Amino acid sequence: RSSTCRSLHLHFTISEEIITYAEAYLNTRLNEHIHIALTDHISFAIERAKDGINLNNRLLHEIRVLYRAEFEIGLWAIQHINKTCQVEMPVDEAAYIALHIHTMKIQGGDLHQTIRQTNLIKGMVLSIKKYLNIEIEEDDISYHRLITHLRFALTRLNQSELHMMDEEMLVMIQKKFPVGYSCARQIAKELKADHGIEFPEE
């Protein structure tokens, strides 16, 4: 029992060190709930690592792009855990930690909503790849720009902040980029059918 208590105390200490680092890195205070949520997550993650169980994070690439600062904190965190506990944390864990950090920022949003939005973006990228029959390099700057744009498009929908494009611009885009526009229409159709999300023509 005393061994378990020491482990839990160590996990709490590690979590607090990560929080302190995150607040300094982001220059902001995090929601007080991070102390419980992150400690709980870190504790289970360390036990999984000790048992050789790695959870693949299928949103790793999207999180790396969408939440860059938080992901950098996550990378620091797994290195810190590796040194402190002598366990090998996979890079996937940095992405999980990044989500916790992001949702505990002021106006960071709900964890489930953040994961849902990231899943939607991943699905949109997969649809683009399938429709255009192309591969997208995840380290390419174009991929980063695409991911960021899709995120802002979804955010604007949620906040009802739609920029109204004038009719001439809309017609010009439809004529100049027919394949891209057709692809975008297909993605909008899928989002409406699968998630009830409706994009305006713009």
Side-chain angles (χ1 to χ4, degrees), residues 101-147:
I101 298 293
H102 173 74
T103 54
M104 288 297 168
K105 285 163 51 180
I106 295 172
Q107 298 178 334
D110 174 73
L111 179 60
H112 297 293
Q113 182 60 30
T114 300
I115 292 171
R116 179 176 183 267
Q117 186 184 73
T118 310
N119 261 311
L120 286 173
I121 292 167
K122 182 180 182 71
M124 291 163 82
V125 172
L126 288 174
S127 293
I128 291 169
K129 289 165 70 173
K130 182 179 176 182
Y131 189 92
L132 299 177
N133 193 27
I134 58 170
E135 281 303 315
I136 301 174
E137 293 295 327
E138 273 128 7
D139 290 332
D140 193 281
I141 189 66
S142 298
Y143 170 78
H144 289 217
R145 290 173 66 187
L146 174 63
I147 289 285

mmCIF file of all heavy atoms in Angstrom, residues 101-147:
data_model
loop_
_atom_site.group_PDB
_atom_site.id
_atom_site.type_symbol
_atom_site.label_atom_id
_atom_site.label_comp_id
_atom_site.label_asym_id
_atom_site.label_seq_id
_atom_site.Cartn_x
_atom_site.Cartn_y
_atom_site.Cartn_z
ATOM 1 N N ILE A 101 -4.471 19.833 -22.060
ATOM 2 C CA ILE A 101 -3.989 21.199 -21.847
ATOM 3 C C ILE A 101 -4.875 22.197 -22.586
ATOM 4 O O ILE A 101 -5.303 23.214 -22.030
ATOM 5 C CB ILE A 101 -2.524 21.348 -22.330
ATOM 6 C CG1 ILE A 101 -1.573 20.430 -21.541
ATOM 7 C CG2 ILE A 101 -2.063 22.803 -22.241
ATOM 8 C CD1 ILE A 101 -1.399 20.759 -20.096
ATOM 9 N N HIS A 102 -5.181 21.899 -23.844
ATOM 10 C CA HIS A 102 -5.980 22.827 -24.653
ATOM 11 C C HIS A 102 -7.353 23.085 -24.040
ATOM 12 O O HIS A 102 -7.799 24.229 -23.958
ATOM 13 C CB HIS A 102 -6.161 22.286 -26.072
ATOM 14 C CG HIS A 102 -7.110 23.110 -26.890
ATOM 15 N ND1 HIS A 102 -6.775 24.351 -27.388
ATOM 16 C CD2 HIS A 102 -8.400 22.882 -27.267
ATOM 17 C CE1 HIS A 102 -7.811 24.853 -28.040
ATOM 18 N NE2 HIS A 102 -8.799 23.984 -27.984
ATOM 19 N N THR A 103 -8.031 22.027 -23.608
ATOM 20 C CA THR A 103 -9.401 22.192 -23.113
ATOM 21 C C THR A 103 -9.444 22.812 -21.718
ATOM 22 O O THR A 103 -10.510 23.218 -21.269
ATOM 23 C CB THR A 103 -10.154 20.843 -23.097
ATOM 24 O OG1 THR A 103 -9.401 19.887 -22.348
ATOM 25 C CG2 THR A 103 -10.369 20.329 -24.506
ATOM 26 N N MET A 104 -8.295 22.909 -21.058
ATOM 27 C CA MET A 104 -8.265 23.542 -19.747
ATOM 28 C C MET A 104 -7.803 24.996 -19.808
ATOM 29 O O MET A 104 -7.692 25.667 -18.795
ATOM 30 C CB MET A 104 -7.353 22.751 -18.797
ATOM 31 C CG MET A 104 -7.948 21.429 -18.371
ATOM 32 S SD MET A 104 -9.485 21.632 -17.414
ATOM 33 C CE MET A 104 -10.093 19.938 -17.394
ATOM 34 N N LYS A 105 -7.541 25.475 -21.047
ATOM 35 C CA LYS A 105 -7.246 26.892 -21.214
ATOM 36 C C LYS A 105 -8.551 27.677 -21.107
ATOM 37 O O LYS A 105 -9.625 27.125 -21.340
ATOM 38 C CB LYS A 105 -6.622 27.152 -22.593
ATOM 39 C CG LYS A 105 -5.163 26.716 -22.713
ATOM 40 C CD LYS A 105 -4.708 26.604 -24.150
ATOM 41 C CE LYS A 105 -4.993 27.809 -24.984
ATOM 42 N NZ LYS A 105 -4.530 27.649 -26.381
ATOM 43 N N ILE A 106 -8.443 28.940 -20.787
ATOM 44 C CA ILE A 106 -9.635 29.797 -20.781
ATOM 45 C C ILE A 106 -10.171 29.823 -22.213
ATOM 46 O O ILE A 106 -9.424 30.071 -23.162
ATOM 47 C CB ILE A 106 -9.289 31.224 -20.306
ATOM 48 C CG1 ILE A 106 -8.837 31.183 -18.847
ATOM 49 C CG2 ILE A 106 -10.478 32.153 -20.475
ATOM 50 C CD1 ILE A 106 -8.291 32.478 -18.322
ATOM 51 N N GLN A 107 -11.448 29.533 -22.367
ATOM 52 C CA GLN A 107 -12.102 29.428 -23.673
ATOM 53 C C GLN A 107 -11.498 28.311 -24.519
ATOM 54 O O GLN A 107 -11.577 28.337 -25.746
ATOM 55 C CB GLN A 107 -12.017 30.760 -24.444
ATOM 56 C CG GLN A 107 -12.730 31.906 -23.734
ATOM 57 C CD GLN A 107 -12.592 33.212 -24.465
ATOM 58 O OE1 GLN A 107 -11.643 33.441 -25.201
ATOM 59 N NE2 GLN A 107 -13.537 34.104 -24.249
ATOM 60 N N GLY A 108 -10.921 27.315 -23.859
ATOM 61 C CA GLY A 108 -10.327 26.194 -24.578
ATOM 62 C C GLY A 108 -11.373 25.262 -25.147
ATOM 63 O O GLY A 108 -11.156 24.611 -26.151
ATOM 64 N N GLY A 109 -12.521 25.200 -24.488
ATOM 65 C CA GLY A 109 -13.596 24.356 -24.977
ATOM 66 C C GLY A 109 -13.701 23.041 -24.226
ATOM 67 O O GLY A 109 -12.864 22.694 -23.400
ATOM 68 N N ASP A 110 -14.742 22.321 -24.528
ATOM 69 C CA ASP A 110 -15.012 21.031 -23.901
ATOM 70 C C ASP A 110 -14.152 19.951 -24.569
ATOM 71 O O ASP A 110 -13.974 19.944 -25.782
ATOM 72 C CB ASP A 110 -16.506 20.718 -24.072
ATOM 73 C CG ASP A 110 -16.851 19.333 -23.576
ATOM 74 O OD1 ASP A 110 -16.869 19.149 -22.351
ATOM 75 O OD2 ASP A 110 -17.108 18.450 -24.413
ATOM 76 N N LEU A 111 -13.628 19.017 -23.764
ATOM 77 C CA LEU A 111 -12.749 17.963 -24.287
ATOM 78 C C LEU A 111 -13.455 17.135 -25.351
ATOM 79 O O LEU A 111 -12.906 16.879 -26.421
ATOM 80 C CB LEU A 111 -12.260 17.069 -23.145
ATOM 81 C CG LEU A 111 -11.340 15.910 -23.548
ATOM 82 C CD1 LEU A 111 -10.068 16.416 -24.214
ATOM 83 C CD2 LEU A 111 -10.999 15.051 -22.340
ATOM 84 N N HIS A 112 -14.696 16.717 -25.064
ATOM 85 C CA HIS A 112 -15.435 15.887 -26.021
ATOM 86 C C HIS A 112 -15.705 16.644 -27.318
ATOM 87 O O HIS A 112 -15.620 16.076 -28.404
ATOM 88 C CB HIS A 112 -16.755 15.396 -25.408
ATOM 89 C CG HIS A 112 -16.550 14.512 -24.223
ATOM 90 N ND1 HIS A 112 -15.975 13.260 -24.320
ATOM 91 C CD2 HIS A 112 -16.818 14.696 -22.901
ATOM 92 C CE1 HIS A 112 -15.910 12.703 -23.123
ATOM 93 N NE2 HIS A 112 -16.406 13.558 -22.247
ATOM 94 N N GLN A 113 -16.018 17.937 -27.190
ATOM 95 C CA GLN A 113 -16.276 18.763 -28.375
ATOM 96 C C GLN A 113 -14.998 18.944 -29.200
ATOM 97 O O GLN A 113 -15.019 18.916 -30.433
ATOM 98 C CB GLN A 113 -16.829 20.137 -27.957
ATOM 99 C CG GLN A 113 -17.178 21.071 -29.106
ATOM 100 C CD GLN A 113 -18.228 20.501 -30.042
ATOM 101 O OE1 GLN A 113 -19.082 19.730 -29.632
ATOM 102 N NE2 GLN A 113 -18.164 20.871 -31.313
ATOM 103 N N THR A 114 -13.868 19.108 -28.496
ATOM 104 C CA THR A 114 -12.581 19.260 -29.178
ATOM 105 C C THR A 114 -12.227 17.998 -29.951
ATOM 106 O O THR A 114 -11.793 18.055 -31.108
ATOM 107 C CB THR A 114 -11.466 19.578 -28.157
ATOM 108 O OG1 THR A 114 -11.787 20.798 -27.480
ATOM 109 C CG2 THR A 114 -10.115 19.741 -28.851
ATOM 110 N N ILE A 115 -12.424 16.846 -29.317
ATOM 111 C CA ILE A 115 -12.146 15.567 -29.976
ATOM 112 C C ILE A 115 -13.083 15.377 -31.170
ATOM 113 O O ILE A 115 -12.665 14.929 -32.237
ATOM 114 C CB ILE A 115 -12.280 14.395 -28.984
ATOM 115 C CG1 ILE A 115 -11.164 14.476 -27.936
ATOM 116 C CG2 ILE A 115 -12.240 13.052 -29.702
ATOM 117 C CD1 ILE A 115 -11.315 13.498 -26.796
ATOM 118 N N ARG A 116 -14.362 15.746 -30.989
ATOM 119 C CA ARG A 116 -15.337 15.617 -32.085
ATOM 120 C C ARG A 116 -14.922 16.472 -33.274
ATOM 121 O O ARG A 116 -14.930 16.006 -34.422
ATOM 122 C CB ARG A 116 -16.724 16.029 -31.609
ATOM 123 C CG ARG A 116 -17.797 15.948 -32.702
ATOM 124 C CD ARG A 116 -19.192 16.269 -32.152
ATOM 125 N NE ARG A 116 -20.195 16.127 -33.188
ATOM 126 C CZ ARG A 116 -20.623 17.128 -33.960
ATOM 127 N NH1 ARG A 116 -20.131 18.352 -33.803
ATOM 128 N NH2 ARG A 116 -21.545 16.922 -34.894
ATOM 129 N N GLN A 117 -14.530 17.727 -33.002
ATOM 130 C CA GLN A 117 -14.136 18.618 -34.094
ATOM 131 C C GLN A 117 -12.890 18.085 -34.803
ATOM 132 O O GLN A 117 -12.812 18.111 -36.036
ATOM 133 C CB GLN A 117 -13.866 20.025 -33.564
ATOM 134 C CG GLN A 117 -13.595 21.030 -34.679
ATOM 135 C CD GLN A 117 -13.234 22.397 -34.168
ATOM 136 O OE1 GLN A 117 -12.136 22.603 -33.655
ATOM 137 N NE2 GLN A 117 -14.145 23.352 -34.300
ATOM 138 N N THR A 118 -11.939 17.575 -34.034
ATOM 139 C CA THR A 118 -10.712 17.037 -34.624
ATOM 140 C C THR A 118 -11.021 15.805 -35.474
ATOM 141 O O THR A 118 -10.446 15.609 -36.547
ATOM 142 C CB THR A 118 -9.686 16.699 -33.520
ATOM 143 O OG1 THR A 118 -9.544 17.826 -32.642
ATOM 144 C CG2 THR A 118 -8.320 16.381 -34.124
ATOM 145 N N ASN A 119 -11.959 14.983 -35.000
ATOM 146 C CA ASN A 119 -12.406 13.823 -35.776
ATOM 147 C C ASN A 119 -13.053 14.249 -37.088
ATOM 148 O O ASN A 119 -12.842 13.631 -38.134
ATOM 149 C CB ASN A 119 -13.408 12.994 -34.964
ATOM 150 C CG ASN A 119 -12.752 11.794 -34.306
ATOM 151 O OD1 ASN A 119 -12.028 11.041 -34.943
ATOM 152 N ND2 ASN A 119 -13.000 11.616 -33.024
ATOM 153 N N LEU A 120 -13.880 15.302 -37.015
ATOM 154 C CA LEU A 120 -14.541 15.814 -38.219
ATOM 155 C C LEU A 120 -13.507 16.266 -39.242
ATOM 156 O O LEU A 120 -13.625 15.980 -40.435
ATOM 157 C CB LEU A 120 -15.468 16.980 -37.865
ATOM 158 C CG LEU A 120 -16.779 16.641 -37.149
ATOM 159 C CD1 LEU A 120 -17.492 17.914 -36.708
ATOM 160 C CD2 LEU A 120 -17.692 15.820 -38.053
ATOM 161 N N ILE A 121 -12.490 16.969 -38.774
ATOM 162 C CA ILE A 121 -11.445 17.472 -39.662
ATOM 163 C C ILE A 121 -10.695 16.313 -40.307
ATOM 164 O O ILE A 121 -10.421 16.327 -41.507
ATOM 165 C CB ILE A 121 -10.480 18.403 -38.900
ATOM 166 C CG1 ILE A 121 -11.219 19.698 -38.512
ATOM 167 C CG2 ILE A 121 -9.236 18.724 -39.737
ATOM 168 C CD1 ILE A 121 -10.489 20.559 -37.516
ATOM 169 N N LYS A 122 -10.391 15.303 -39.511
ATOM 170 C CA LYS A 122 -9.702 14.122 -40.050
ATOM 171 C C LYS A 122 -10.557 13.484 -41.153
ATOM 172 O O LYS A 122 -10.054 13.118 -42.215
ATOM 173 C CB LYS A 122 -9.445 13.107 -38.942
ATOM 174 C CG LYS A 122 -8.680 11.862 -39.421
ATOM 175 C CD LYS A 122 -8.447 10.895 -38.279
ATOM 176 C CE LYS A 122 -7.658 9.688 -38.755
ATOM 177 N NZ LYS A 122 -6.260 10.001 -39.057
ATOM 178 N N GLY A 123 -11.860 13.383 -40.897
ATOM 179 C CA GLY A 123 -12.771 12.812 -41.889
ATOM 180 C C GLY A 123 -12.842 13.646 -43.155
ATOM 181 O O GLY A 123 -12.900 13.107 -44.280
ATOM 182 N N MET A 124 -12.815 14.960 -42.995
ATOM 183 C CA MET A 124 -12.851 15.853 -44.152
ATOM 184 C C MET A 124 -11.595 15.683 -45.013
ATOM 185 O O MET A 124 -11.675 15.648 -46.242
ATOM 186 C CB MET A 124 -12.998 17.308 -43.687
ATOM 187 C CG MET A 124 -14.366 17.604 -43.070
ATOM 188 S SD MET A 124 -14.400 19.134 -42.097
ATOM 189 C CE MET A 124 -14.612 20.355 -43.390
ATOM 190 N N VAL A 125 -10.447 15.557 -44.361
ATOM 191 C CA VAL A 125 -9.190 15.357 -45.101
ATOM 192 C C VAL A 125 -9.218 14.023 -45.842
ATOM 193 O O VAL A 125 -8.815 13.934 -47.007
ATOM 194 C CB VAL A 125 -7.978 15.425 -44.149
ATOM 195 C CG1 VAL A 125 -6.695 15.014 -44.874
ATOM 196 C CG2 VAL A 125 -7.821 16.827 -43.571
ATOM 197 N N LEU A 126 -9.720 12.985 -45.181
ATOM 198 C CA LEU A 126 -9.825 11.672 -45.835
ATOM 199 C C LEU A 126 -10.739 11.747 -47.052
ATOM 200 O O LEU A 126 -10.464 11.129 -48.086
ATOM 201 C CB LEU A 126 -10.344 10.631 -44.843
ATOM 202 C CG LEU A 126 -9.373 10.201 -43.742
ATOM 203 C CD1 LEU A 126 -10.063 9.277 -42.742
ATOM 204 C CD2 LEU A 126 -8.141 9.523 -44.332
ATOM 205 N N SER A 127 -11.824 12.502 -46.935
ATOM 206 C CA SER A 127 -12.751 12.670 -48.065
ATOM 207 C C SER A 127 -12.083 13.389 -49.232
ATOM 208 O O SER A 127 -12.287 13.034 -50.396
ATOM 209 C CB SER A 127 -13.999 13.448 -47.620
ATOM 210 O OG SER A 127 -14.763 12.694 -46.713
ATOM 211 N N ILE A 128 -11.282 14.404 -48.916
ATOM 212 C CA ILE A 128 -10.558 15.141 -49.957
ATOM 213 C C ILE A 128 -9.585 14.210 -50.678
ATOM 214 O O ILE A 128 -9.519 14.189 -51.908
ATOM 215 C CB ILE A 128 -9.804 16.347 -49.345
ATOM 216 C CG1 ILE A 128 -10.800 17.403 -48.865
ATOM 217 C CG2 ILE A 128 -8.823 16.951 -50.361
ATOM 218 C CD1 ILE A 128 -10.189 18.502 -48.016
ATOM 219 N N LYS A 129 -8.845 13.425 -49.910
ATOM 220 C CA LYS A 129 -7.875 12.489 -50.490
ATOM 221 C C LYS A 129 -8.574 11.473 -51.395
ATOM 222 O O LYS A 129 -8.099 11.160 -52.491
ATOM 223 C CB LYS A 129 -7.111 11.773 -49.370
ATOM 224 C CG LYS A 129 -6.138 12.668 -48.634
ATOM 225 C CD LYS A 129 -5.660 12.055 -47.322
ATOM 226 C CE LYS A 129 -4.755 10.879 -47.530
ATOM 227 N NZ LYS A 129 -4.174 10.408 -46.241
ATOM 228 N N LYS A 130 -9.712 10.980 -50.924
ATOM 229 C CA LYS A 130 -10.456 9.977 -51.696
ATOM 230 C C LYS A 130 -11.045 10.589 -52.963
ATOM 231 O O LYS A 130 -10.938 10.019 -54.052
ATOM 232 C CB LYS A 130 -11.562 9.387 -50.817
ATOM 233 C CG LYS A 130 -12.367 8.291 -51.494
ATOM 234 C CD LYS A 130 -13.435 7.748 -50.551
ATOM 235 C CE LYS A 130 -14.304 6.714 -51.246
ATOM 236 N NZ LYS A 130 -15.382 6.216 -50.356
ATOM 237 N N TYR A 131 -11.667 11.753 -52.822
ATOM 238 C CA TYR A 131 -12.331 12.388 -53.960
ATOM 239 C C TYR A 131 -11.330 12.763 -55.049
ATOM 240 O O TYR A 131 -11.588 12.560 -56.239
ATOM 241 C CB TYR A 131 -13.079 13.646 -53.490
ATOM 242 C CG TYR A 131 -13.971 14.250 -54.549
ATOM 243 C CD1 TYR A 131 -15.308 13.884 -54.649
ATOM 244 C CD2 TYR A 131 -13.477 15.203 -55.443
ATOM 245 C CE1 TYR A 131 -16.133 14.427 -55.619
ATOM 246 C CE2 TYR A 131 -14.282 15.760 -56.412
ATOM 247 C CZ TYR A 131 -15.612 15.365 -56.506
ATOM 248 O OH TYR A 131 -16.426 15.915 -57.468
ATOM 249 N N LEU A 132 -10.190 13.316 -54.650
ATOM 250 C CA LEU A 132 -9.187 13.767 -55.607
ATOM 251 C C LEU A 132 -8.171 12.680 -55.960
ATOM 252 O O LEU A 132 -7.321 12.884 -56.825
ATOM 253 C CB LEU A 132 -8.452 14.997 -55.056
ATOM 254 C CG LEU A 132 -9.315 16.231 -54.767
ATOM 255 C CD1 LEU A 132 -8.471 17.335 -54.156
ATOM 256 C CD2 LEU A 132 -10.004 16.719 -56.036
ATOM 257 N N ASN A 133 -8.277 11.538 -55.249
ATOM 258 C CA ASN A 133 -7.355 10.419 -55.457
ATOM 259 C C ASN A 133 -5.897 10.873 -55.330
ATOM 260 O O ASN A 133 -5.070 10.672 -56.228
ATOM 261 C CB ASN A 133 -7.587 9.772 -56.833
ATOM 262 C CG ASN A 133 -6.874 8.439 -56.949
ATOM 263 O OD1 ASN A 133 -6.630 7.756 -55.955
ATOM 264 N ND2 ASN A 133 -6.514 8.069 -58.174
ATOM 265 N N ILE A 134 -5.608 11.521 -54.200
ATOM 266 C CA ILE A 134 -4.255 12.013 -53.952
ATOM 267 C C ILE A 134 -3.805 11.611 -52.552
ATOM 268 O O ILE A 134 -4.618 11.254 -51.705
ATOM 269 C CB ILE A 134 -4.175 13.558 -54.056
ATOM 270 C CG1 ILE A 134 -5.156 14.212 -53.051
ATOM 271 C CG2 ILE A 134 -4.444 14.031 -55.474
ATOM 272 C CD1 ILE A 134 -4.983 15.698 -52.898
ATOM 273 N N GLU A 135 -2.490 11.663 -52.333
ATOM 274 C CA GLU A 135 -1.922 11.500 -51.002
ATOM 275 C C GLU A 135 -1.496 12.884 -50.511
ATOM 276 O O GLU A 135 -1.056 13.709 -51.304
ATOM 277 C CB GLU A 135 -0.714 10.554 -51.033
ATOM 278 C CG GLU A 135 -1.093 9.086 -51.080
ATOM 279 C CD GLU A 135 -1.990 8.649 -49.922
ATOM 280 O OE1 GLU A 135 -1.701 9.034 -48.763
ATOM 281 O OE2 GLU A 135 -2.996 7.961 -50.166
ATOM 282 N N ILE A 136 -1.649 13.122 -49.229
ATOM 283 C CA ILE A 136 -1.263 14.404 -48.657
ATOM 284 C C ILE A 136 -0.171 14.160 -47.622
ATOM 285 O O ILE A 136 -0.373 13.403 -46.672
ATOM 286 C CB ILE A 136 -2.467 15.108 -47.995
ATOM 287 C CG1 ILE A 136 -3.584 15.333 -49.025
ATOM 288 C CG2 ILE A 136 -2.039 16.437 -47.377
ATOM 289 C CD1 ILE A 136 -4.859 15.898 -48.436
ATOM 290 N N GLU A 137 0.979 14.765 -47.835
ATOM 291 C CA GLU A 137 2.082 14.618 -46.883
ATOM 292 C C GLU A 137 1.771 15.420 -45.626
ATOM 293 O O GLU A 137 1.536 16.620 -45.696
ATOM 294 C CB GLU A 137 3.393 15.118 -47.508
ATOM 295 C CG GLU A 137 3.898 14.267 -48.662
ATOM 296 C CD GLU A 137 4.298 12.872 -48.228
ATOM 297 O OE1 GLU A 137 4.779 12.717 -47.093
ATOM 298 O OE2 GLU A 137 4.107 11.932 -49.015
ATOM 299 N N GLU A 138 1.800 14.738 -44.468
ATOM 300 C CA GLU A 138 1.401 15.399 -43.234
ATOM 301 C C GLU A 138 2.398 16.453 -42.753
ATOM 302 O O GLU A 138 2.066 17.292 -41.922
ATOM 303 C CB GLU A 138 1.163 14.357 -42.143
ATOM 304 C CG GLU A 138 -0.259 13.816 -42.168
ATOM 305 C CD GLU A 138 -0.312 12.299 -42.212
ATOM 306 O OE1 GLU A 138 0.743 11.662 -42.092
ATOM 307 O OE2 GLU A 138 -1.418 11.770 -42.364
ATOM 308 N N ASP A 139 3.637 16.411 -43.269
ATOM 309 C CA ASP A 139 4.629 17.413 -42.888
ATOM 310 C C ASP A 139 4.649 18.595 -43.851
ATOM 311 O O ASP A 139 5.391 19.554 -43.647
ATOM 312 C CB ASP A 139 6.030 16.774 -42.838
ATOM 313 C CG ASP A 139 6.163 15.815 -41.657
ATOM 314 O OD1 ASP A 139 5.464 16.019 -40.647
ATOM 315 O OD2 ASP A 139 6.936 14.853 -41.762
ATOM 316 N N ASP A 140 3.840 18.516 -44.896
ATOM 317 C CA ASP A 140 3.814 19.567 -45.907
ATOM 318 C C ASP A 140 3.071 20.792 -45.388
ATOM 319 O O ASP A 140 2.067 20.681 -44.685
ATOM 320 C CB ASP A 140 3.126 19.036 -47.175
ATOM 321 C CG ASP A 140 3.346 19.961 -48.356
ATOM 322 O OD1 ASP A 140 2.642 20.989 -48.422
ATOM 323 O OD2 ASP A 140 4.203 19.658 -49.193
ATOM 324 N N ILE A 141 3.549 21.976 -45.757
ATOM 325 C CA ILE A 141 2.929 23.231 -45.295
ATOM 326 C C ILE A 141 1.495 23.347 -45.808
ATOM 327 O O ILE A 141 0.630 23.907 -45.136
ATOM 328 C CB ILE A 141 3.773 24.461 -45.730
ATOM 329 C CG1 ILE A 141 3.251 25.745 -45.069
ATOM 330 C CG2 ILE A 141 3.810 24.592 -47.240
ATOM 331 C CD1 ILE A 141 3.418 25.791 -43.588
ATOM 332 N N SER A 142 1.223 22.789 -47.001
ATOM 333 C CA SER A 142 -0.135 22.841 -47.551
ATOM 334 C C SER A 142 -1.115 22.065 -46.675
ATOM 335 O O SER A 142 -2.271 22.466 -46.501
ATOM 336 C CB SER A 142 -0.153 22.263 -48.969
ATOM 337 O OG SER A 142 0.659 23.029 -49.815
ATOM 338 N N TYR A 143 -0.651 20.943 -46.136
ATOM 339 C CA TYR A 143 -1.492 20.142 -45.231
ATOM 340 C C TYR A 143 -1.813 20.959 -43.974
ATOM 341 O O TYR A 143 -2.956 20.994 -43.521
ATOM 342 C CB TYR A 143 -0.767 18.844 -44.857
ATOM 343 C CG TYR A 143 -1.424 18.055 -43.747
ATOM 344 C CD1 TYR A 143 -2.548 17.258 -43.996
ATOM 345 C CD2 TYR A 143 -0.928 18.104 -42.454
ATOM 346 C CE1 TYR A 143 -3.140 16.534 -42.985
ATOM 347 C CE2 TYR A 143 -1.522 17.383 -41.430
ATOM 348 C CZ TYR A 143 -2.626 16.596 -41.704
ATOM 349 O OH TYR A 143 -3.218 15.890 -40.685
ATOM 350 N N HIS A 144 -0.817 21.624 -43.436
ATOM 351 C CA HIS A 144 -1.019 22.452 -42.244
ATOM 352 C C HIS A 144 -2.034 23.553 -42.505
ATOM 353 O O HIS A 144 -2.898 23.833 -41.680
ATOM 354 C CB HIS A 144 0.313 23.058 -41.792
ATOM 355 C CG HIS A 144 1.249 22.047 -41.205
ATOM 356 N ND1 HIS A 144 2.078 22.311 -40.145
ATOM 357 C CD2 HIS A 144 1.487 20.749 -41.517
ATOM 358 C CE1 HIS A 144 2.788 21.240 -39.846
ATOM 359 N NE2 HIS A 144 2.452 20.280 -40.673
ATOM 360 N N ARG A 145 -1.920 24.182 -43.673
ATOM 361 C CA ARG A 145 -2.846 25.256 -44.022
ATOM 362 C C ARG A 145 -4.264 24.718 -44.197
ATOM 363 O O ARG A 145 -5.232 25.360 -43.775
ATOM 364 C CB ARG A 145 -2.381 25.960 -45.303
ATOM 365 C CG ARG A 145 -1.106 26.780 -45.108
ATOM 366 C CD ARG A 145 -0.586 27.326 -46.415
ATOM 367 N NE ARG A 145 -1.503 28.303 -46.991
ATOM 368 C CZ ARG A 145 -1.356 28.831 -48.194
ATOM 369 N NH1 ARG A 145 -0.335 28.476 -48.956
ATOM 370 N NH2 ARG A 145 -2.227 29.711 -48.652
ATOM 371 N N LEU A 146 -4.372 23.552 -44.828
ATOM 372 C CA LEU A 146 -5.687 22.933 -45.038
ATOM 373 C C LEU A 146 -6.357 22.608 -43.704
ATOM 374 O O LEU A 146 -7.525 22.952 -43.483
ATOM 375 C CB LEU A 146 -5.541 21.662 -45.872
ATOM 376 C CG LEU A 146 -6.820 20.827 -46.060
ATOM 377 C CD1 LEU A 146 -7.879 21.614 -46.826
ATOM 378 C CD2 LEU A 146 -6.508 19.512 -46.761
ATOM 379 N N ILE A 147 -5.613 21.965 -42.819
ATOM 380 C CA ILE A 147 -6.141 21.583 -41.509
ATOM 381 C C ILE A 147 -6.615 22.817 -40.744
ATOM 382 O O ILE A 147 -7.698 22.838 -40.153
ATOM 383 C CB ILE A 147 -5.046 20.856 -40.691
ATOM 384 C CG1 ILE A 147 -4.775 19.468 -41.263
ATOM 385 C CG2 ILE A 147 -5.436 20.751 -39.229
ATOM 386 C CD1 ILE A 147 -5.829 18.458 -40.948
#
